[in-house]
């Protein structure tokens, strides 16, 4: 139950952020790609939230403190490099996690087996863009580096064990090591530098999973939930 | 039309330039008369080429500007199912823009050039997208009425004389009719919902009805391009003919929805076997075309901003491609990276998850 909420909220919130790009992407192909990824994530969110209860009640009627998503996925889009940095950090994590869940005997094995194919595409998309922005022009290099640096402090919380996922199914320290190695490899190939700052502090470590979020998240929810909350009991 | 090239050569070596031109025109006219498809490498009159570029560019621009009024509601969609449907629709529109720019490029222009003209205000997009989406019900009204009008206009284009355009339209029309049904179904849910939802649906139909009728263009006696386009079989029906067809389709659909159309003059005409309807405010249409509609400024500004703010990303992709494609030195075509394309139709995708 709590694991379905945690994983479902990650997908729901990141999908929402990617949906904000519609009509604003740098090139038409990215309108298609970002919407495609947002749709995949929304599909995953709907399955996961439905395991935990009613998808719309959970999405539209919970307040900020009841959401269990990572702080990383709620971060505002920023420029394209910032969005891509967020995509890289999250999609590598999600890919590695879902690979493990798919191979497990846990309740998420079926869902993860289906989603892992989508997530592999998200990961590839993010990696390809990190390479192009990092090893593109001086400006894109600088922007990509800034994106990685700015979001680095939100990456530690991904490896706090998720309540409800069996320790036998996911070895979190090993997941973290695999993530670090994969991200370091892409960053290095993109001629960028792996950030050196802290990946979590007393506040950020696992905070999102406990319903402790960053300030932009409340405004995101206000926009997302406004219409649904304005018509209590209505169906759409 | 593969034989044309040989025939052209024969003509141009044996006759004068004028005679060659006349012969090429005759071959072209015969192909059009026989309902053959004109293909990119075939000879075509310059005016035919220019008309197609203008029309296809305007069509492509409409797809990408048309993303804005709907994307306006993605972050506020009232259920996850509706949100998925709307995201998929906006994604499809970007895809339609891509097909249409590609089809236009077969005529010797480029997407970059066409976008520059859009941003400079030298090419148009459909006037309908200069109206604002003020409530959630507008998303349904756009699906039902705006996509409905677009389909009525576009289905005949699947038989257009220019092959690449006709083929793009086959795929686009399939997806559009899917969107239209979803828009209708959205309005039906509102119409049968709470009184507040019903009012929201009626208000949206009231605001979108007349602008939708204007999508068919000026009346036949004031349509400057119609006669030539019909002769070339780019167009198959007149503006007024298509508008009438659309009204006749919508009247029973509105009844089934439990909503009214904001025109007291609509009534069945037994003699004509069609509906009579009220006069369109062509002054409003002209004002919107001139740039004085409710959202003209916002729409073009957002498009320009997205393009300008994305320039460094396109530059990066081009610089990377130049560095990493030694087989094609000097390749500077700006564009996206060769990111893998997921082979999943967005429409199917939503049907699965919905």
């Amino acid at each position: 139950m709590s694991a379905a909420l945690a994983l479902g909220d990650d997908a729901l919130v990141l999908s929402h952020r990617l949906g904000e790009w519609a009509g604003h992407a740098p090139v038409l192909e990215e309108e298609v790609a970002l919407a495609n990824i947002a749709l995949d994530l929304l599909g995953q969110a709907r399955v996961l939230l439905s395991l935990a209860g009613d998808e719309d009640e959970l999405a539209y009627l919970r307040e900020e403190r009841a959401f269990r998503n990572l702080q990383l996925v709620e971060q505002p889009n920023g420029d394209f490099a910032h969005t891509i940095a967020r995509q890289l950090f999250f999609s590598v994590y999600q890919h590695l996690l879902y690979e493990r869940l798919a191979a497990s005997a846990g309740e998420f094995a079926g869902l993860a087996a289906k989603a892992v194919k989508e997530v592999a595409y998200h990961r590839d998309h993010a990696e390809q863009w990190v390479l192009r922005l990092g090893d593109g022009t001086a400006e894109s290099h600088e922007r990509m580096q800034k994106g990685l640096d700015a979001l680095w402090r939100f990456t530690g919380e991904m490896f706090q064990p998720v309540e409800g996922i069996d320790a036998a199914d996911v070895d979190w320290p090993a997941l973290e090591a695999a993530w670090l190695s994969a991200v370091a490899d892409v960053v290095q190939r993109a001629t960028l530098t792996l950030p050196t700052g802290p990946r979590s502090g007393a506040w950020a470590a696992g905070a999102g999973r406990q319903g402790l979020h960053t300030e932009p998240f409340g405004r995101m929810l206000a926009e997302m939930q406004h219409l649904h909350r304005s018509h209590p009991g209505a169906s759409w | 039309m593969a034989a044309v090239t040989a025939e052209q050569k024969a003509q141009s070596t044996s006759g004068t330039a004028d005679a060659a031109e006349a012969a090429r025109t005759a071959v072209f006219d015969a192909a059009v008369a026989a309902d053959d498809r004109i293909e990119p490498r075939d000879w075509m009159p310059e005016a035919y080429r220019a008309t197609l570029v203008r029309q296809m560019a305007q069509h492509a621009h409409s797809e990408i500007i048309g993303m804005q009024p709907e994307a306006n509601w993605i972050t506020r969609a009232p259920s996850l199912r509706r949100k998925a449907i709307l995201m998929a629709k906006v994604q499809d529109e970007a895809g339609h823009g891509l097909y249409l720019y590609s089809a236009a490029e077969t005529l010797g222009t480029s997407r970059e050039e066409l976008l520059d003209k859009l941003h400079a205000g030298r090419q148009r997009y459909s006037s309908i997208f200069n109206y604002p989406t003020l409530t959630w019900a507008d998303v349904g009204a756009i699906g039902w009425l705006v996509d409905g009008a677009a389909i009525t206009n576009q289905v005949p284009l699947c038989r257009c004389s220019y092959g690449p355009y006709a083929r793009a339209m086959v795929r686009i029309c399939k997806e559009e009719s899917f969107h239209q049904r979803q828009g209708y179904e959205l309005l039906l849910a509102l119409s049968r919902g709470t009184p507040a939802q019903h009012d929201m649906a009626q208000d949206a139909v009231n605001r979108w009805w007349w602008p939708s009728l204007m999508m068919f263009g000026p009346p036949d006696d004031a349509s400057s391009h119609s006669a030539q386009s019909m002769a070339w079989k780019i167009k198959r029906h007149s503006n007024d003919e298509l508008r009438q067809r659309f009204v006749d389709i919508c009247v029973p659909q509105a009844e089934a929805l439990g909503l009214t159309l904001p025109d007291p003059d609509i009534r069945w005409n037994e003699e004509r076997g069609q509906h009579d309807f009220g006069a369109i405010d062509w002054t409003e249409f002209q004002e919107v075309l001139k740039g004085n509609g409710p959202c003209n400024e916002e729409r073009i500004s957002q498009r320009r901003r997205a393009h300008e703010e994305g320039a460094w990303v396109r530059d990066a992709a081009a610089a990377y491609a130049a560095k990493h494609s030694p087989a094609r030195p000097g390749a500077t075509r700006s564009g996206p990276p060769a990111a893998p394309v997921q082979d999943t139709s967005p429409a199917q995708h939503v049907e699965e998850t919905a």
Side-chain angles (χ1 to χ4, degrees):
Chain A
M1 173 77 117
S2 51
L5 272 189
L7 302 182
D9 286 350
D10 283 349
L12 177 71
V13 171
L14 186 55
S15 165
H16 186 95
R17 284 297 188 205
L18 292 174
E20 293 173 354
W21 269 103
H24 299 271
V27 59
L28 270 178
E29 284 82 351
E30 280 307 297
E31 294 283 3
V32 177
L34 294 174
N36 206 329
I37 295 168
L39 265 172
D40 287 343
L41 290 168
L42 186 53
Q44 294 165 15
R46 295 181 65 195
V47 174
L48 285 158
L49 294 182
S50 298
L51 289 176
D54 177 87
E55 60 176 33
D56 285 339
E57 262 178 47
L58 288 169
Y60 291 100
L61 299 176
R62 271 183 301 161
E63 294 188 1
E64 195 178 335
R65 290 283 283 110
F67 274 81
R68 293 287 174 263
N69 56 283
L70 299 164
Q71 289 185 346
L72 174 69
V73 296
E74 75 202 26
Q75 295 312 305
N77 288 333
D79 68 6
F80 188 71
H82 199 85
T83 288
I84 290 298
R86 193 182 60 199
Q87 285 303 111
L88 177 76
F89 292 158
F90 183 75
S91 64
V92 172
Y93 161 78
Q94 201 192 14
H95 188 233
L96 296 171
L97 175 60
Y98 278 30
E99 273 181 344
R100 283 157 178 75
L101 292 175
S104 77
E107 64 168 322
F108 302 114
L111 156 87
K114 181 171 180 284
V116 78
K117 293 173 202 152
E118 298 169 347
V119 177
Y121 158 75
H122 306 171
R123 176 180 174 174
D124 189 46
H125 174 265
E127 290 180 353
Q128 294 298 323
W129 269 117
V130 171
L131 293 176
R132 278 157 183 79
L133 298 182
D135 195 14
T137 64
E139 181 183 4
S140 69
H141 179 91
E142 189 190 340
R143 285 179 184 255
M144 193 64 239
Q145 187 65 55
K146 273 190 182 156
L148 296 174
D149 292 347
L151 292 168
W152 189 244
R153 69 192 174 98
F154 297 107
T155 59
E157 62 174 335
M158 297 192 283
F159 306 101
Q160 299 291 315
V162 172
E163 197 186 323
I165 290 179
D166 198 307
D169 292 337
V170 177
D171 176 344
W172 295 93
L175 184 72
E176 181 163 20
W179 181 89
L180 261 177
S181 148
V183 167
D185 175 62
V186 178
V187 166
Q188 183 263 324
R189 281 192 288 136
T191 73
L192 294 159
T193 309
L194 201 66
T196 50
R199 294 186 36 241
S200 56
W203 180 251
R209 296 282 187 235
Q210 299 159 36
L212 296 170
H213 295 280
T214 55
E215 287 182 346
F217 186 52
R219 275 188 298 280
M220 193 205 102
L221 283 188
E223 181 172 350
M224 183 173 109
Q225 297 182 335
H226 168 261
L227 179 59
H228 187 95
R229 285 179 179 270
S230 300
H231 295 262
S235 55
W236 301 92
Chain B
M1 296 262 308
V4 178
T5 319
E7 197 165 334
Q8 274 171 230
K9 274 185 192 151
Q11 286 290 344
S12 59
T13 49
S14 66
T16 64
D18 281 353
E21 175 87 5
R24 286 196 294 258
T25 304
V27 172
F28 173 84
D29 289 345
V32 170
D35 275 335
D36 281 351
R37 288 280 161 81
I38 309 298
E39 296 298 337
R41 298 171 72 141
D42 294 334
W43 181 88
M44 63 188 82
E46 271 317 301
Y48 176 85
R49 186 185 298 273
T51 295
L52 277 169
V53 169
R54 182 178 50 77
Q55 183 174 337
M56 291 163 76
Q58 179 168 329
H59 195 160
H61 298 334
S62 300
E63 295 284 356
I64 58 167
I65 296 281
M67 294 167 70
Q68 291 183 29
E70 296 182 288
N72 184 37
W73 281 92
I74 285 179
T75 54
R76 293 177 288 170
S79 75
L80 297 186
R81 173 172 169 263
R82 293 291 178 197
K83 187 172 182 164
I85 290 171
L86 183 56
M87 272 185 181
K89 182 180 179 189
V90 174
Q91 182 192 16
D92 281 350
E93 281 158 6
H96 296 173
L98 281 170
Y99 307 153
L100 287 163
Y101 286 122
S102 301
E105 285 183 337
T106 63
L107 291 163
T109 180
S110 70
R111 193 203 307 183
E112 289 74 15
E113 188 182 348
L114 297 176
L115 281 173
D116 286 346
K117 284 182 178 160
L118 170 67
H119 299 151
R122 284 164 48 217
Q123 283 178 342
R124 285 176 170 163
Y125 55 88
S126 175
S127 62
I128 193 81
F129 300 120
N130 293 311
Y131 290 86
T133 45
L134 302 178
T135 72
W136 170 250
D138 290 34
V139 171
I142 288 181
W144 176 41
L145 295 173
V146 175
D147 294 342
I151 292 163
T152 308
N153 256 330
Q154 292 171 9
V155 164
L157 286 173
C158 299
R159 293 184 295 127
C160 155
S161 58
Y162 188 57
Y165 195 19
R167 287 189 289 273
M169 291 318 301
V170 170
R171 185 161 173 191
I172 289 173
C173 284
K174 266 186 213 159
E175 292 177 353
E176 292 289 7
S177 59
F178 186 68
H179 298 159
Q180 199 228 358
R181 282 202 302 279
Q182 289 172 328
Y184 181 89
E185 196 256 327
L186 190 166
L187 279 184
L188 189 64
L190 293 180
S191 177
R192 292 180 176 172
T194 65
Q197 286 178 305
H198 180 91
D199 291 350
M200 192 192 281
Q202 183 62 61
D203 171 63
V205 169
N206 291 349
R207 284 181 287 109
W208 287 92
W209 172 249
W210 291 108
S212 301
L213 291 192
M214 295 176 197
M215 286 174 69
F216 295 94
D220 291 348
D221 51 24
S223 177
S224 50
H225 302 294
S226 277
Q228 182 60 73
S229 286
M230 285 177 76
W232 278 330
K233 293 188 181 169
I234 295 173
K235 260 177 106 151
R236 296 278 178 162
H237 309 278
S238 80
N239 294 352
D240 287 334
E241 228 177 300
L242 291 168
R243 188 167 13 243
Q244 178 69 54
R245 188 180 294 180
F246 179 66
V247 172
D248 291 334
I249 291 169
C250 286
V251 170
Q253 288 181 344
E255 277 169 27
L257 279 171
L259 298 171
T260 57
L261 296 171
D263 179 357
D265 296 329
I266 289 193
R267 62 180 57 81
W268 179 250
N269 181 323
E270 195 66 54
E271 278 174 35
R272 292 201 300 127
Q274 291 173 322
H275 291 86
D276 292 335
F277 55 97
I280 291 171
D281 180 355
W282 292 113
T283 315
E284 175 180 324
F285 180 68
Q286 291 305 332
E287 283 301 312
V288 176
L289 279 190
K290 272 191 273 176
N292 301 325
C295 298
N296 297 59
E297 180 53 37
E298 289 90 334
R299 298 292 185 242
I300 202 68
S301 295
Q302 179 177 325
R303 179 90 270 291
R304 281 193 202 122
R305 196 163 54 241
H307 191 73
E308 284 161 13
E309 288 177 359
W312 68 270
V313 177
R314 297 189 300 274
D315 290 347
Y320 181 90
K323 282 185 215 177
H324 293 270
S325 308
R328 296 184 298 126
T332 54
R333 186 181 182 279
S334 70
V341 174
Q342 203 176 27
D343 188 20
T344 306
S345 143
Q348 282 169 0
H349 191 106
V350 167
E351 272 188 317
E352 281 164 19
T353 56

